[in-house]
Amino acid sequence: MFKSALMITAMIGALLALGFELYAARGFAFLESASGLLITLWTIIPYLTLHAGYYFFEHPRIQKQWLSFSVIEVAVVAWLYFQTVVMYPDAQGGLIFLFLPVWQGTLNMLVGMLLYWRQTRLNRLP
């Protein structure tokens, strides 16, 4: 149950990020360059790490916690994209597509390692 919800959450997050990227770029023209494709890939990578929890977490409690973390992260990141790109656009607003995935990826890895450690401890219990 949690695994399918996690997959949907990661997919919604990636689609939202891509949607905001398309909005900021004013269309698909940026995908014609190699740098546009790389930035798009860079934007999607944190959502791939969220989806990786589908394969690493087997304990139901850990899956539930990873799903809760994922939903909160997707909501906060969508809000940040909305504030930066739609509500208060400026010349440096596009930098969010470079720096926010770094923070997302770091947070995903730290929380993922913590939950994986908790999972190994829960699996050792009788």
Side-chain angles (χ1 to χ4, degrees):
M1 178 176 134
F2 296 119
K3 287 189 169 193
S4 60
L6 176 63
M7 187 171 58
I8 291 170
T9 302
M11 193 179 330
I12 287 172
L15 290 174
L16 281 171
L18 289 176
F20 283 116
E21 189 174 314
L22 287 172
Y23 179 83
R26 310 285 190 250
F28 290 97
F30 77 100
L31 290 175
E32 294 174 0
S33 68
S35 61
L37 290 172
L38 288 174
I39 289 173
T40 302
L41 178 64
W42 183 252
T43 305
I44 292 175
I45 286 175
Y47 301 103
L48 295 176
T49 59
L50 285 180
H51 180 67
Y54 182 91
Y55 302 103
F56 287 106
F57 303 127
E58 293 125 13
H59 199 279
R61 283 177 49 192
I62 302 299
Q63 287 176 354
K64 185 177 179 181
Q65 291 170 354
W66 183 250
L67 176 63
S68 300
F69 166 74
S70 300
V71 168
I72 291 170
E73 181 183 347
V74 166
V76 167
V77 168
W79 180 79
L80 286 171
Y81 280 140
F82 180 75
Q83 291 293 314
T84 305
V85 175
V86 178
M87 293 300 293
Y88 306 106
D90 66 349
Q92 287 80 28
L95 292 174
I96 195 168
F97 297 107
L98 292 175
F99 294 112
L100 189 58
V102 172
W103 288 103
Q104 275 183 275
T106 304
L107 184 63
N108 289 349
M109 296 306 276
L110 291 174
V111 172
M113 287 188 301
L114 176 69
L115 290 178
Y116 193 76
W117 174 75
R118 288 193 66 216
Q119 177 175 272
T120 57
R121 296 214 30 173
L122 285 173
N123 289 339
R124 285 188 209 153
L125 293 176

